[in-house]
Amino acid sequence: MDVFSRTFLPAAAEAGLAVQTLSRHMPVFRRCVGSGDATILVTRCSRPDRPVTGDYLLLLTHRRLVVTQQTRLLHRLRLHLNTELRELSNVTWSPDPRLHSVELAATAIDGIRERFLIRTSHPKRVWQLDALLNHAFRTRLRTPRERIVATIGEGPAAARPSVFRPAVAR
């Protein structure tokens, strides 16, 4: 069993999702997420700006955010959002324990602002979601400098001269 499957099933069980729902959405998730990517969160969500468009299922891994939509009338499944976390900008979330919900908003690479409302069964779960989102979007994202693999015209690291640092006179 790969990393995605090992982490997806417990996350889905924690969210209380039905097996039929998972089996319907799993082929879409498999096409979007690599087998070595660990699942952080799987949950139902809705769009606060479009409440009657259908049911959404949100999958958050260490590298990707995938959202699928199932239409209400014909129950057709479609991919709504599939993006790497580093391609998202202006990611915000606002936990509201009184309403048992967390609103997640992010701007995708195409410039469209996406908003999702995640409802929970208990106020304590709101703070757990807040911690998961904090882990995914604040502590896991690398700075742009860390993503640089090589620069054109630059030799291997071993071939570079070391930086000269004069000794401190005491």
Side-chain angles (χ1 to χ4, degrees):
M1 188 179 277
D2 61 356
V3 174
F4 175 69
S5 296
R6 277 197 319 263
T7 56
F8 180 81
L9 296 175
E14 186 177 335
L17 297 172
V19 175
Q20 295 85 1
T21 303
L22 295 176
S23 61
R24 196 175 314 117
H25 290 259
M26 185 56 89
V28 178
F29 290 149
R30 278 280 180 201
R31 283 193 304 265
C32 298
V33 178
S35 61
D37 203 2
T39 303
I40 297 173
L41 174 68
V42 180
T43 187
R44 287 188 185 279
C45 63
S46 61
R47 307 261 326 260
D49 49 348
R50 297 182 187 150
V52 294
T53 57
D55 297 325
Y56 293 85
L57 197 62
L58 182 140
L59 169 67
L60 179 65
T61 69
H62 289 292
R63 295 185 195 122
R64 300 195 79 76
L65 175 65
V66 181
V67 180
T68 57
Q69 176 190 13
Q70 182 175 337
T71 61
R72 289 187 192 264
L73 187 59
L74 299 175
H75 299 288
R76 289 192 178 150
L77 193 65
R78 75 175 190 91
L79 182 63
H80 176 75
L81 179 66
N82 176 22
T83 185
E84 289 189 27
L85 296 184
R86 62 185 169 91
E87 293 175 347
L88 294 172
S89 63
N90 197 17
V91 178
T92 60
W93 61 92
S94 34
D96 190 349
R98 290 177 297 131
L99 296 177
H100 306 285
S101 64
V102 176
E103 184 175 340
L104 173 66
T107 304
I109 197 165
D110 57 1
I112 297 174
R113 184 80 176 156
E114 299 285 352
R115 291 177 50 216
F116 301 102
L117 185 65
I118 304 168
R119 297 201 184 275
T120 64
S121 57
H122 194 272
K124 188 176 185 180
R125 180 77 175 130
V126 170
W127 299 117
Q128 290 172 343
L129 280 174
D130 181 50
L132 286 173
L133 294 172
N134 186 43
H135 175 71
F137 290 109
R138 294 221 172 102
T139 60
R140 296 285 301 174
L141 292 181
R142 297 183 199 117
T143 61
R145 182 158 181 90
E146 289 178 306
R147 283 183 276 194
I148 296 174
V149 178
T151 307
I152 296 174
E154 188 175 310
R160 285 187 218 133
S162 60
V163 177
F164 175 73
R165 291 188 180 96
V168 179
R170 294 182 192 202

